[in-house]
Amino acid sequence: MKATAHAHPNIALIKYWGKRDQKLFLPHTPSLSMTLSSLTAVTTAEFSASLAADTVMLDGRPVEGAALERFSAHLDRIRALAGISLRARVVSANDFPTAAGLASSAAGGAALTAALCRAAGLDLSPHEMSALARRFSGSACRSVEGGFCQWNRGERTDGSDSFAVQVFPAGHWPELRMVVTVVSAAQKEVSSRAGMQHSVETSPFFEAWVRQVDADLAEALSALERRDLRALGSIAETNACRMHAVALGAHPPVLYMKPVTLDVISRVHALRAQGIEAWFTLDAGPNPVVLCLAADAPRVAAALEEIPGVQKTVTAGPGEGVTQSEKHLF
Ligand code: 2P0
């Protein structure tokens, strides 16, 4: 009853910001993302009669307290589905910084869910697995499949219709690149979870956000279908700024940007003025992600790495969803 799964982060082109159900992790709006081809979370999970309690190791450190309870709650969901009561050992490792706006919980949540399901002998469809991964972390539902995925808001109160579906496979646009620009690998002060809930509760702009997202999504899907980078980049940049405007409108405000974040954004604008199609998006953290084509990616990455305060860049194309591996971490 041991299994290992690999998953990659996804970066939203149309953001998820705000839950309508905090227990089931049901969003107020749909979202759209690209699953990356690099930056990998690996999770090995084993259910065993020899274990007295669930144990979780994340990047070499034991997970304890509230964080462990969150894992155990997810384990309970899988135990209930599989009809087992065995405790589990989970070991997970990321090859990129955790909780710094790089969607680590998405890759980790997808890898965790896939490894646990296999270890428990559950054979779920990708959509069922996506809905289950959503319960660990909303954005994890978008890393189950590769390419470009749309997380449907859903209408049902039980959440059974709120999962991500692949709208285009990775091969639809193999030349598209995201240049992940790391300006800080530190844990952020306000988690996405807390920031979005605070926005729902106190930002007067939240209602406008909910009214706007369907139109942003339609524009992004059309641009994606036509492989029109200018159109896609333009709506992705606008949608990210709208999300940050909602957070800045909260009371007290939630500010995820650092001065160097704005330096990167200015450089992206300067690159465009030079004729290079480069567009940014920004998650709930200080690290911008820049959309461009493969042919321009080395120039874009070099220009961003020149900026004081930029630690490194990682360039990724559209990647695959979760995969199983026989190479276990223990
Ligand atoms: C996104 N983010 O669409 C948005 C944009 C951050 C900014 O999904 O509470 O870690 O676990 O559902 O999934 C990050 O939120 O939050 C996120 P929970 P999650 O990528």
Side-chain angles (χ1 to χ4, degrees), residues 10-19 22 25-26 30-33 70 101 103-106 133-142 151 188 191-194 196-197 209 239-240 243-244 256 281-285:
N10 67 77
I11 301 292
L13 296 159
I14 299 298
K15 305 297 187 189
Y16 150 52
W17 197 248
K19 295 178 180 69
Q22 284 196 78
F25 287 27
L26 302 180
S31 54
L32 174 70
S33 59
R70 179 182 172 200
S104 59
S105 64
R134 187 200 78 226
R135 301 288 306 274
F136 184 77
S137 191
S139 54
C141 78
R142 298 188 312 232
W151 175 8
K188 59 203 179 199
S191 69
S192 301
R193 189 167 298 179
M196 70 173 79
Q197 187 54 27
W209 164 256
N239 182 266
M243 183 200 99
H244 284 272
Y256 288 111
T281 183
L282 186 66
D283 279 343

